Amino acid sequence: MLFRTEIDIPKADFEIQPAEQMLFVGSCFADNLGRRFVENRFRATVNPFGVMYNPASILHTVEKCAGVHPRVAVFTLGTNHVYILKETGEIVDNCQKRPQRLFEERELSVEECAAYLQKAIDLLKQRGLKDETSEDEAFDTGLKVIITVSPIRYAKYGYHGSQLSKATLQLAADRLVKANPGVSSYFPAYEIMNDELRDYRFYKEDMLHPSDQAVEYIWEKFRETYFGKAAELFLEDWRPIREALGHKPFNPDSEEHQKFIARTEERKRWFEKKYGLVAG
């Protein structure tokens, strides 16, 4: 007897590598997911200019990240609503607490959402081609882009309005994946949250944001989809070191603890040397 429906997620046709160069841009769910990669020593850049909720703002971040050259980019789409500064007619990424009367709110169409995201992908591809001519072997030109829709609902739109916004993003994501075979893939974070985890115990107190347990579950599903044996071994090598670094001693000045620190630092240097990471 089945008591829930599970999302069938096919294994991706590529694997995220140990210490992968990654870029996470999007809603606060991109922060939640990206933080897992940072904590586990992947070379991940996460929302370097703050949270970006809509496809236009995601493009703006990619444009400003001239020095970031990911092999894997993750775009987490939050909403198709944008705010336009009336004075300039430009979409702003942050209203910076300025009066609402200065802005016009508008909804991007499926076509507009897909177009902004396509520009972001094309820009990352162009940077990859430039790197191909360099002598730096750290960058791989085989760009992969993972598109996901944030599972966080927006109560301010009304729940019907929130669903319409998410549907627009899902259609745009589907269009993008079909237009970029071998490059783009879709990860169903929104569907996992609203189908597999459709119980309020998986939400925070506001009944809108996923709980830590739910985010951890989605992270595990993400790993199953995009990680291979090499990335799993990388995590396994790092886990005891991370736990040791987070250890809180009863007596930090004791000789025993000083030896523990020395052993941990030695294991950390071994790990960094094995995977070509810079100590720090």
Side-chain angles (χ1 to χ4, degrees):
M1 186 179 293
L2 297 177
F3 290 96
R4 63 173 181 149
T5 53
E6 291 192 35
I7 304 298
D8 181 23
I9 310 174
K11 187 75 173 174
D13 60 0
F14 74 97
E15 294 179 354
I16 292 175
Q17 298 300 313
E20 186 76 272
Q21 294 269 8
M22 303 183 71
L23 172 65
F24 290 81
V25 185
S27 70
C28 50
F29 187 72
D31 280 347
N32 290 334
L33 190 60
R35 191 182 310 124
R36 297 294 197 284
F37 283 87
V38 172
E39 291 171 351
N40 286 289
R41 292 304 305 269
F42 288 84
R43 290 176 287 189
T45 301
V46 182
N47 276 335
F49 299 100
V51 173
M52 300 292 156
Y53 293 99
N54 64 78
S57 294
I58 288 174
L59 170 61
H60 295 163
T61 290
V62 172
E63 288 174 334
K64 290 187 284 187
C65 286
V68 180
H69 301 75
R71 190 187 78 95
V72 178
V74 181
F75 297 156
T76 300
L77 315 180
T79 178
N80 70 326
H81 288 239
V82 296
Y83 288 90
I84 300 172
L85 185 62
K86 293 179 180 178
E87 183 180 358
T88 63
E90 295 178 340
I91 294 174
V92 297
D93 303 327
N94 191 317
C95 294
Q96 299 176 331
K97 298 183 179 181
R98 288 175 287 182
Q100 187 174 356
R101 68 176 184 276
L102 300 178
F103 302 92
E104 174 191 356
E105 184 177 2
R106 189 168 76 79
E107 298 173 33
L108 298 177
S109 67
V110 172
E111 292 74 16
E112 289 172 317
C113 289
Y116 282 120
L117 295 170
Q118 186 63 60
K119 287 181 181 178
I121 291 175
D122 291 343
L123 186 55
L124 291 174
K125 281 183 179 179
Q126 290 169 11
R127 291 174 186 166
L129 290 174
K130 290 179 181 179
D131 291 328
E132 188 177 16
T133 62
S134 72
E135 295 180 358
D136 188 346
E137 297 180 356
F139 300 138
D140 187 342
T141 58
L143 175 69
K144 303 295 181 182
V145 178
I146 301 169
I147 310 293
T148 188
V149 173
S150 169
I152 300 167
R153 295 174 296 164
Y154 292 91
K156 66 179 180 179
Y157 302 154
Y159 295 117
H160 177 63
S162 179
Q163 286 291 87
L164 291 176
S165 176
K166 298 296 185 182
T168 299
L169 296 173
Q170 288 172 316
L171 289 168
D174 184 66
R175 181 171 298 191
L176 203 69
V177 170
K178 291 176 179 176
N180 297 272
V183 175
S184 298
S185 65
Y186 180 74
F187 179 74
Y190 181 82
E191 292 80 357
I192 292 171
M193 193 70 211
N194 288 275
D195 202 342
E196 287 195 40
L197 306 181
R198 54 183 177 187
D199 189 300
Y200 282 116
R201 74 179 186 273
F202 295 117
Y203 288 83
K204 290 187 175 180
E205 292 180 357
D206 64 3
M207 298 292 111
L208 297 172
H209 288 75
S211 67
D212 292 341
Q213 185 183 34
V215 173
E216 183 66 23
Y217 181 84
I218 295 173
W219 154 250
E220 292 296 333
K221 289 288 189 178
F222 193 93
R223 280 175 57 178
E224 291 174 11
T225 305
Y226 295 103
F227 282 18
K229 290 182 179 179
E232 291 294 347
L233 178 60
F234 177 78
L235 290 180
E236 189 63 25
D237 284 343
W238 172 245
R239 182 180 55 79
I241 303 171
R242 185 185 66 188
E243 291 174 353
L245 290 170
H247 176 68
K248 303 295 182 183
F250 288 110
N251 185 359
D253 297 323
S254 68
E255 181 180 352
E256 182 180 355
H257 181 63
Q258 295 307 312
K259 290 180 179 178
F260 175 80
I261 291 176
R263 289 195 302 270
T264 300
E265 287 299 322
E266 184 178 351
R267 293 175 71 186
K268 183 182 175 185
R269 287 192 293 271
W270 164 82
F271 176 84
E272 291 170 341
K273 183 178 180 180
K274 178 179 178 179
Y275 292 104
L277 292 165
V278 178

